[in-house]
Amino acid sequence: MEFILECFLFLLPAAIANMAPVVVKSLPIFNWPVDLGFKFRGQRAFGDNKTYRGFIFGVLAAVLTIYLQQKFNLTSQFMLPLAETSNWLFLGFLLGFGALFGDLLKSFFK
């Protein structure tokens, strides 16, 4: 059971990053498509719903999640070598960026 909790805590920033674009969808800032209207084989490269707003706020949500995990000492055993005081910002960025970049790739091939 402890292993499942450790995995959950490790993946939580990436999961929050994936949910953040839906939460900030109504904000009127950074509402530009990531593909900037580029078409590939007659279709938008990433679709209509992939915006810079979602990408930016998703990465920020992952960084905030890592920060809160560290502040309340909820870092998992897997994160301990990575989430030292100097690396939590970078780790949050990597987890958020990786989750959202993977989502972009999925949208491109879909």
Side-chain angles (χ1 to χ4, degrees):
M1 187 66 175
E2 185 178 332
F3 178 74
I4 293 172
L5 180 62
E6 294 284 325
C7 291
F8 173 77
L9 288 174
F10 182 68
L11 295 174
L12 185 63
I16 297 291
N18 264 333
M19 290 186 279
V22 177
V23 174
V24 298
K25 187 175 185 176
S26 62
L27 291 178
I29 58 173
F30 304 123
N31 193 19
W32 312 301
V34 173
D35 60 14
L36 300 174
F38 175 74
K39 294 190 178 201
F40 181 74
R41 295 185 180 176
Q43 294 183 353
R44 294 275 303 275
F46 299 119
D48 297 331
N49 296 322
K50 305 300 180 196
T51 63
Y52 281 103
R53 174 186 53 220
F55 204 87
I56 290 168
F57 281 103
V59 171
L60 288 175
V63 170
L64 178 65
T65 303
I66 286 269
Y67 171 74
L68 291 174
Q69 282 179 323
Q70 186 174 21
K71 182 138 179 90
F72 294 111
N73 201 19
L74 295 173
T75 53
S76 74
Q77 173 183 348
F78 305 118
M79 274 189 218
L80 288 178
L82 300 170
E84 296 173 0
T85 309
S86 61
N87 291 335
W88 66 267
L89 178 67
F90 185 62
L91 181 61
F93 173 80
L94 285 179
L95 286 169
F97 185 86
L100 294 172
F101 186 73
D103 189 48
L104 277 178
L105 284 177
K106 176 201 59 122
S107 293
F108 178 77
F109 288 108
K110 191 166 124 182

